[in-house]
Amino acid sequence: MTNTTATLPVLARWPGLGGWNLYFLAKFLLVALGMLDFQALPNLLFAAFLLVPLPGTWLRVARQLLAVPIGVALFYQDTWFPPFSRLLAQPGVLDFSWDYLLELLGRFINWNVLGALALLLVGYLYLRHWLRLSTLSLLGLVWLAIGSLPLPGAGQVPSATARVTAEPVHASADNATLDRWLEQFFTREQARVTAFPALKADEQPFDLLVINICSLAWDDLSAVGLRDNPLFSRLDVIFDQFNSATSYSGPAAIRVLRASCGQSSHAGLYQGAPEQCLLFQNLAKLGFQSNTLLNHSGHFDNFIGDITRQQMPQPGMRNTDFPRALVGFDGSPIASDLDVLRRWWGQRKGSAAQHVSLFYNSISLHDGNRIVTADGGTRVADYATRANRLFGELGTFLDELERSGRRVVVAIVPEHGAALHGDRMQLSGMREIPTPSITHVPVGLKFIGMGQPARSEPLRVSAPTSYLALSELVSRVYAGLGQQQVLDVPGLLTDLPTTERVAETSGAQVVNYQGRSYMRLQGQPDWQPIPEERP
């Protein structure tokens, strides 16, 4: 009998996927676990590239060599991680300490996923002798491709990942709808501004201290069991739904300092702002003397430059003027919050200024920081340990303010969250995509020396707000103290300006539309729903 297969022309012999079956099967497993944003068309093209018959051994070997980098790049593209070019565009990454780099490397290891992949490998090695796995892989690719297509006549596109993971399918708005909504949002925000009162002859002098804390979100507090803590319980006002609008420090500081206008786009932060947008300049017109203070050098990612460009003065003290309390993720010294604030307050009490405004930035909770030990070395300190220490020091500082007898408004305004547990799109500590769990931050105010009654719990602002509400409240405090000694805080909270949840970095945009969050990464035209985390 003639062997027909052996007599077929070389170009008619279609190979199987061979070991690449394991590559595609692993992707199917990760899609089922909700850990990949699988893109069917590029994967089908890659499979076709591997299957097309080629004459000559050298061509087939060359194809396998070329397929390896293509497969790696395609696999990364299929993850939820931001484009690799974004990492290269962050020069500050080169300043990370080796301890921090090793810590970040360890976060890539997910033992549950590794265990599932090990079982997949065993199954593959056993079944490849019994089943035509290439057929199984191709059927899986086609099935995922069909599942990602929009239904005929549908104006909305369901999430392919939601289909595969058997989660509830949420209809996501189309690109045109979200683009139009976002454009209208920024148009409305451009017209909003805080109207500060005129200088009052009967004013009651007070100081405003804005404590801007890096890496503190409600989600982080819940993760370490500190959502209810002694510091927050003694505040007079807490904003329950405050949106920081970004997940990085420089943009967050700019947004605080420009709080007196509606929310700007990320690109707009690096363009000149009208003076009426600058919170501390508005206060300066009312007689407040502006101060800047950090418990770090401010050199990383030119943070200090972002501040001074908003017409803020250079910091009055250096972090090296104090003993090291922490060592930062880049190896730089970080001072104790209490040491820095206490020394500044001592100087302020000796000043003749009637009003003083302070912008204080703390990075004590930043990812990768290490606590300095008694012998001068360092050790790893978990988030809860550092948070408890920060809250304790701020509580002690509030005690000292209360004993001083002066009128002081303390506003605690976190920059963004720490992303402690991460999500499907980002590792723990990664904040390139400003998801709601990162930008939903606990903002609170304490009114000292203003005759406030003892409260069993803080007054709550439950509406969605952002920096404009903070600026409006500060303006109302000045106007209110000019009329009476006792501040009517509940009255000041009435009808504060609300702001829809929109957040941006240079690499991503996130919006909340009709109760669902959507994101768009830099360089990509399409919006996609942010995958919901399983409980």
Side-chain angles (χ1 to χ4, degrees):
M1 180 179 293
T2 303
N3 188 336
T4 57
T5 303
T7 59
L8 287 174
V10 172
L11 288 178
R13 300 175 190 168
W14 287 78
L17 290 171
W20 288 102
N21 280 300
L22 184 60
Y23 172 86
F24 289 109
L25 292 173
K27 281 191 171 184
F28 298 158
L29 173 63
L30 294 176
V31 168
L33 295 174
M35 303 186 69
L36 284 187
D37 180 26
F38 191 83
Q39 301 173 73
L41 181 59
N43 281 276
L44 281 170
L45 292 174
F46 184 50
F49 168 73
L50 295 170
L51 288 172
V52 171
L54 295 175
T57 302
W58 67 274
L59 278 177
R60 293 192 289 273
V61 171
R63 174 169 60 185
Q64 292 298 320
L65 294 175
L66 184 60
V68 172
I70 294 176
V72 171
L74 181 58
F75 194 97
Y76 188 87
Q77 184 181 356
D78 277 338
T79 68
W80 291 104
F81 298 148
F84 193 70
S85 59
R86 288 292 309 147
L87 179 62
L88 300 178
Q90 302 291 332
V93 172
L94 301 177
D95 295 328
F96 288 173
S97 67
W98 284 108
D99 288 333
Y100 188 43
L101 288 173
L102 289 174
E103 182 181 337
L104 291 176
L105 183 62
R107 296 179 191 177
F108 279 91
I109 301 174
N110 184 319
W111 295 107
N112 291 331
V113 173
L114 287 179
L117 291 174
L119 291 175
L120 177 67
L121 175 62
V122 172
Y124 166 78
L125 293 175
Y126 178 76
L127 294 175
R128 64 179 180 148
H129 300 293
W130 307 92
L131 298 176
R132 180 73 173 174
L133 293 180
S134 293
T135 302
L136 182 62
S137 296
L138 291 174
L139 287 174
L141 287 170
V142 171
W143 179 68
L144 288 175
I146 294 173
S148 65
L149 293 175
L151 296 174
Q156 297 177 325
V157 182
S159 164
T161 303
R163 289 173 177 267
V164 175
T165 57
E167 295 179 348
V169 177
H170 294 273
S172 55
D174 58 35
N175 292 323
T177 299
L178 292 175
D179 286 344
R180 183 170 56 253
W181 184 90
L182 186 60
E183 181 181 357
Q184 292 171 349
F185 168 80
F186 285 126
T187 299
R188 291 192 302 271
E189 291 299 299
Q190 287 176 359
R192 301 212 294 172
V193 62
T194 300
F196 275 79
L199 186 65
K200 303 182 75 67
D202 63 340
E203 66 179 2
Q204 299 291 333
F206 70 95
D207 295 338
L208 172 68
L209 280 56
V210 176
I211 299 179
N212 193 218
I213 302 173
C214 177
S215 303
L216 178 63
W218 287 114
D219 189 68
D220 303 318
L221 293 176
S222 296
V224 296
L226 289 176
R227 195 177 181 95
D228 297 317
N229 60 78
L231 176 65
F232 285 9
S233 66
R234 66 186 293 185
L235 299 179
D236 292 303
V237 176
I238 287 182
F239 288 78
D240 286 328
Q241 298 296 330
F242 194 98
N243 175 34
S244 71
T246 185
S247 54
Y248 277 120
S249 299
I254 296 172
R255 291 190 183 280
V256 173
L257 298 174
R258 295 187 181 185
S260 297
C261 282
Q263 184 168 323
S264 164
S265 67
H266 178 82
L269 297 177
Y270 298 92
Q271 301 170 3
E275 192 168 88
Q276 64 184 3
C277 296
L278 302 177
L279 173 61
F280 282 74
Q281 288 303 305
N282 286 323
L283 292 171
K285 295 175 182 177
L286 300 176
F288 285 77
Q289 182 187 89
S290 299
N291 286 243
T292 302
L293 196 61
L294 316 175
N295 74 335
H296 55 102
S297 69
H299 296 319
F300 185 82
D301 208 20
N302 194 29
F303 180 81
I304 192 63
D306 288 338
I307 293 174
T308 55
R309 279 193 292 271
Q310 315 310 313
Q311 301 186 33
M312 292 296 291
Q314 289 284 339
M317 304 174 189
R318 298 175 300 176
N319 61 320
T320 52
D321 295 337
F322 304 89
R324 296 184 309 162
L326 299 158
V327 170
F329 55 93
D330 58 351
S332 63
I334 301 173
S336 157
D337 294 284
L338 182 58
D339 285 351
V340 178
L341 289 169
R342 176 180 279 163
R343 184 179 299 183
W344 175 85
W345 182 242
Q347 294 180 357
R348 190 275 170 270
K349 288 190 295 184
S351 168
Q354 289 292 303
H355 295 289
V356 168
S357 59
L358 171 69
F359 175 80
Y360 172 66
N361 182 265
S362 169
I363 64 168
S364 297
L365 298 183
H366 195 287
D367 193 40
N369 289 349
R370 299 170 67 88
I371 285 183
V372 176
T373 56
D375 60 0
T378 63
R379 64 175 175 83
V380 175
D382 61 24
Y383 185 89
T385 299
R386 289 181 286 123
N388 274 314
R389 186 160 87 167
L390 171 65
F391 293 163
E393 291 186 351
L394 291 181
T396 300
F397 181 59
L398 291 183
D399 293 336
E400 296 187 7
L401 295 179
E402 290 175 338
R403 288 195 296 267
S404 72
R406 302 184 69 95
R407 298 182 188 87
V408 185
V409 177
V410 179
I412 296 175
V413 188
E415 297 176 356
H416 52 71
L420 279 186
H421 56 59
D423 52 38
R424 299 185 193 182
M425 300 176 294
Q426 302 180 110
L427 298 172
S428 171
M430 189 176 182
R431 295 177 277 104
E432 180 65 19
I433 303 173
T435 56
S437 63
I438 300 174
T439 61
H440 180 203
V441 297
V443 170
L445 288 90
K446 179 68 176 177
F447 300 98
I448 297 173
M450 298 182 181
Q452 290 304 297
R455 293 187 172 92
S456 58
E457 61 180 21
L459 302 173
R460 319 293 292 208
V461 179
S462 58
T465 54
S466 196
Y467 302 100
L468 189 65
L470 178 66
S471 174
E472 176 67 22
L473 182 54
V474 170
S475 171
R476 294 180 183 183
V477 169
Y478 178 84
L481 278 180
Q483 298 167 3
Q484 55 190 23
Q485 175 69 32
V486 178
L487 197 66
D488 177 19
V489 175
L492 298 183
L493 303 181
T494 303
D495 295 328
L496 287 172
T498 60
T499 304
E500 292 97 335
R501 295 183 183 89
V502 173
E504 294 181 279
T505 63
S506 58
Q509 293 176 307
V510 173
V511 302
N512 183 281
Y513 179 75
Q514 294 184 346
R516 184 77 197 274
S517 295
Y518 301 86
M519 69 177 183
R520 178 169 59 188
L521 300 181
Q522 183 187 47
Q524 296 183 2
D526 296 332
W527 292 90
Q528 55 185 317
I530 292 180
E532 296 179 348
E533 296 300 306
R534 293 190 181 95

